Amino acid sequence: MSNYDQLTAHYQTINHFNHAQSMLGWDAAANMPSGGSDARSQAMAELSVHIHRLSTQPQVEEWFGEAEQESLNSEQQSSLREMKRQWQQATIVPEDLVQAQSIAGSKCEHAWRSQRQENDWTGFEKNWKDVVKLSREEAEIRSEGLGLSPYDAMLDKYEPGTTTASLDSLFSDVKSWLPDLIEKVLQKQQSQSVIMPTGNFSVANQKALGLETMKLLKFDFDHGRLDQSVHPFCGGVPTDVRITTRYDEKDFVQALMGIVHETGHARYEQGLPKALAGLPVGEARSMGVHESQSLFFEMQIGRSKPFISHLSRLSANAFNVQKDPVFAEENLYKIYTQVEKGFIRVDADEITYPAHVIMRYEIERDLINGVIEHTDVPELWDQKMKASLGLSTKGNYKNGCMQDIHWTDGAFVYFPSYTLGAMYAAQYKATMQNTVDIDGAIKSGDLSPIFQWLSDNIWSQASLHTTDELIKRATGETLNADYFRKHLEARYL
């Protein structure tokens, strides 16, 4: 067996354990009783350590050294590059830190579920300080090993090739035009009459509606399922994708679009090349590219007029209210394109959403780089919300700095991926419409031409190319944020 084959077999084994760990995480979020938290945290920590040991075994380095001398085709070279990148990411962090982070993150995230509802910053801070401390330790270790700033070193985990400098430039540009665009759209929509949903929308009916919508989006139910959790997410593996949403029986709107969003993540996972399954090269390219799929589904498809027409019909049938004006196509479109300055990121409209992301990026950047302390976050959050959206969160931790799940378990440096994803999605559509009748496909109810383009250009390519190469091959150029701005202006102005 060649050294390259030794490596592929080894990473297939690691993948099996990652699969098991993802299922434990899904179960903890969707099914596990509260009393199981401590034991589950310990089990997941033990599994994290085992995976880390597999990833850092001494012979792996020897295999890499020998495999680099072997005659490999271009696909194998890409595969070797991605295996080595994961190996470097793993070997740089000591085992005891991995275990400590897993325990601290599980403990903090589980307690957050009730602490958020109770607006309990004091209780949350006691757990979160350890998560922040350990994340900073990891950032410093990665910084020394990679020769990057702490934040850039952490950013490399989610967005390889992206830097703080590039994000600062990108987001600075967005901040230069976004506030004016928000005000223009708010002014335009002032005279708009919208009928908001009222009444009781049972969870059972909402789930049935979600499942019908997933069928329209060609989700493969033989290899995935929909469940309920505190915070919507997509997890699992390509052959067993688990997506969740959260329901509000007074309002079906957010849960439904949350399902559309998570289905985008899931279709990407289900569309990854089977021949590369279980290998790093067969995984999603980056979190920004992953978010580009969910946001293409949610924003480019889901909030388009032709798709809203389908949602109008499906939702009216699900709730048996065919003559209710709330479910009329035009009204539903107004609901899904209504712009409002709000506290909650996951409920934010397409235009104000980047403001939520940018302020989180600025806070976590300074937190990881040691410029601020974790106790400074509530006040900074309030200041930035006032500056970007004119809202105060002073004393309102539930709808302020405690609203997201990401930081609770140490998932820092993820937030930029959301706005990067929205930008990629707009760029895909601008390119796709040169060869695909997008609106026509959506109207017909057969979205196959759209999904075929995504499959050919994104899903099937997995991590065979760098992010810049992937985007350039798909669209003819690397990331160009102008497409995002033009998309927003075209839809809302």
Side-chain angles (χ1 to χ4, degrees):
M1 182 181 289
S2 70
N3 289 278
Y4 173 80
D5 289 337
Q6 294 265 34
L7 284 166
T8 59
H10 188 68
Y11 274 88
Q12 291 278 8
T13 298
I14 292 173
N15 176 259
H16 295 321
F17 285 102
N18 283 328
H19 181 177
Q21 188 176 51
S22 69
M23 290 299 107
L24 286 173
W26 163 81
D27 178 73
N31 292 314
M32 187 186 73
S34 59
S37 175
D38 288 344
R40 181 62 55 87
S41 295
Q42 293 292 335
M44 292 183 72
E46 187 73 26
L47 189 52
S48 294
V49 170
H50 181 71
I51 293 170
H52 186 261
R53 285 175 181 166
L54 283 174
S55 302
T56 57
Q57 287 180 354
Q59 68 265 34
V60 175
E61 184 173 10
E62 298 174 13
W63 290 337
F64 277 119
E66 295 296 329
E68 287 171 344
Q69 308 305 315
E70 294 172 352
S71 179
L72 304 175
N73 60 35
S74 60
E75 183 178 287
Q76 290 171 325
Q77 289 171 4
S78 295
S79 181
L80 185 64
R81 179 196 69 218
E82 293 303 308
M83 286 189 287
K84 190 168 186 179
R85 197 177 84 80
Q86 287 200 6
W87 171 74
Q88 290 171 331
Q89 292 281 357
T91 54
I92 208 168
V93 181
E95 180 181 299
D96 59 347
L97 179 57
V98 172
Q99 184 172 30
Q101 285 181 301
S102 180
I103 293 172
S106 293
K107 179 181 178 182
C108 183
E109 186 272 329
H110 187 76
W112 162 82
R113 298 183 200 179
S114 58
Q115 289 166 344
R116 185 197 170 200
Q117 296 305 315
E118 296 163 2
N119 199 41
D120 181 12
W121 164 257
T122 302
F124 175 73
E125 184 270 333
K126 289 177 182 177
N127 290 327
W128 195 47
K129 66 181 179 182
D130 292 331
V131 174
V132 173
K133 174 178 174 290
L134 294 169
S135 294
R136 279 178 163 179
E137 286 183 23
E138 178 189 353
E140 286 297 335
I141 291 169
R142 291 185 181 281
S143 175
E144 292 176 12
L146 299 174
L148 301 170
S149 72
Y151 191 83
D152 277 0
M154 295 287 275
L155 188 61
D156 189 62
K157 293 199 302 181
Y158 297 119
E159 301 295 337
T162 301
T163 64
T164 302
S166 64
L167 289 177
D168 285 345
S169 175
L170 190 67
F171 291 158
S172 177
D173 175 63
V174 173
K175 288 169 72 175
S176 73
W177 55 260
L178 185 63
D180 184 55
L181 178 61
I182 292 172
E183 295 305 322
K184 283 182 178 178
V185 175
L186 287 173
Q187 183 68 28
K188 181 174 183 284
Q189 292 186 353
Q190 269 187 351
S191 58
Q192 180 173 279
S193 176
V194 183
I195 308 170
M196 299 304 294
T198 58
N200 180 61
F201 304 99
S202 72
V203 169
N205 285 344
Q206 288 193 61
K207 183 170 183 178
L209 171 59
L211 293 172
E212 286 300 312
T213 304
M214 291 166 69
K215 289 178 185 177
L216 181 62
L217 295 170
K218 298 190 181 299
F219 180 88
D220 180 1
F221 287 96
D222 288 333
H223 295 95
R225 55 181 286 145
L226 169 67
D227 290 283
Q228 184 176 355
S229 68
V230 174
H231 192 97
F233 69 89
C234 174
V237 294
T239 54
D240 187 6
V241 183
R242 308 298 176 94
I243 72 172
T244 71
T245 193
R246 61 183 175 198
Y247 299 103
D248 178 351
E249 293 197 331
K250 296 178 181 178
D251 177 13
F252 70 93
V253 170
Q254 293 297 336
L256 178 56
M257 199 54 71
I259 289 172
V260 173
H261 178 98
E262 299 303 337
T263 300
H265 280 305
R267 288 299 316 275
Y268 185 17
E269 288 290 321
Q270 291 178 340
L272 291 169
K274 293 179 175 57
L276 301 177
L279 295 175
V281 74
E283 296 172 1
R285 173 59 241 163
S286 73
M287 293 320 303
V289 174
H290 224 309
E291 290 300 338
S292 77
Q293 300 310 294
S294 59
L295 291 170
F296 189 93
F297 272 59
E298 179 188 354
M299 301 304 182
Q300 301 299 333
I301 296 177
R303 295 177 195 264
S304 68
K305 284 187 175 180
F307 195 79
I308 295 295
S309 178
H310 291 294
L311 294 186
S312 171
R313 170 179 52 83
L314 292 173
S315 57
N317 290 338
F319 303 117
N320 195 27
V321 285
Q322 281 77 8
K323 295 183 179 180
D324 191 328
V326 168
F327 299 94
E329 179 181 336
E330 189 61 31
N331 188 67
L332 208 54
Y333 180 74
K334 288 177 181 177
I335 291 175
Y336 277 121
T337 56
Q338 188 173 33
V339 174
E340 182 180 1
K341 295 178 180 179
F343 292 103
I344 307 300
R345 175 187 61 85
V346 295
D347 295 340
D349 56 82
E350 190 176 13
I351 293 184
T352 60
Y353 196 99
H356 289 271
V357 168
I358 292 170
M359 62 169 279
R360 284 160 173 76
Y361 159 69
E362 292 173 345
I363 291 173
E364 69 176 11
R365 175 197 64 198
D366 291 347
L367 184 64
I368 294 299
N369 283 338
V371 177
I372 62 172
E373 297 302 323
H374 75 283
T375 49
D376 298 326
V377 171
E379 180 61 28
L380 282 170
W381 194 285
D382 180 52
Q383 291 174 11
K384 290 182 180 294
M385 279 294 286
K386 286 177 182 174
S388 60
L389 294 172
L391 301 172
S392 174
T393 58
K394 197 169 187 66
N396 184 3
Y397 309 109
K398 173 183 176 180
N399 295 326
C401 61
M402 286 178 63
Q403 67 180 266
D404 296 299
I405 195 172
H406 304 64
W407 291 347
T408 67
D409 63 359
F412 293 101
V413 201
Y414 189 104
F415 284 115
S417 301
Y418 291 115
T419 292
L420 289 174
M423 292 174 173
Y424 289 137
Q427 191 162 330
Y428 300 153
K429 185 180 180 183
T431 304
M432 187 188 299
Q433 62 191 8
N434 294 327
T435 56
V436 176
D437 179 5
I438 298 174
D439 283 354
I442 299 173
K443 285 177 184 176
S444 73
D446 181 6
L447 282 66
S448 299
I450 297 171
F451 300 144
Q452 190 61 54
W453 190 97
L454 291 172
S455 178
D456 291 343
N457 292 281
I458 307 297
W459 303 345
S460 66
Q461 301 306 301
S463 287
L464 288 167
H465 314 288
T466 66
T467 306
D468 279 352
E469 288 170 348
L470 177 71
I471 303 304
K472 189 171 184 178
R473 289 166 68 96
T475 69
E477 58 184 314
T478 54
L479 178 60
N480 182 345
D482 287 345
Y483 293 110
F484 180 56
R485 181 178 181 178
K486 290 175 181 176
H487 158 69
L488 294 178
E489 290 174 343
R491 174 171 285 174
Y492 293 92
L493 295 180

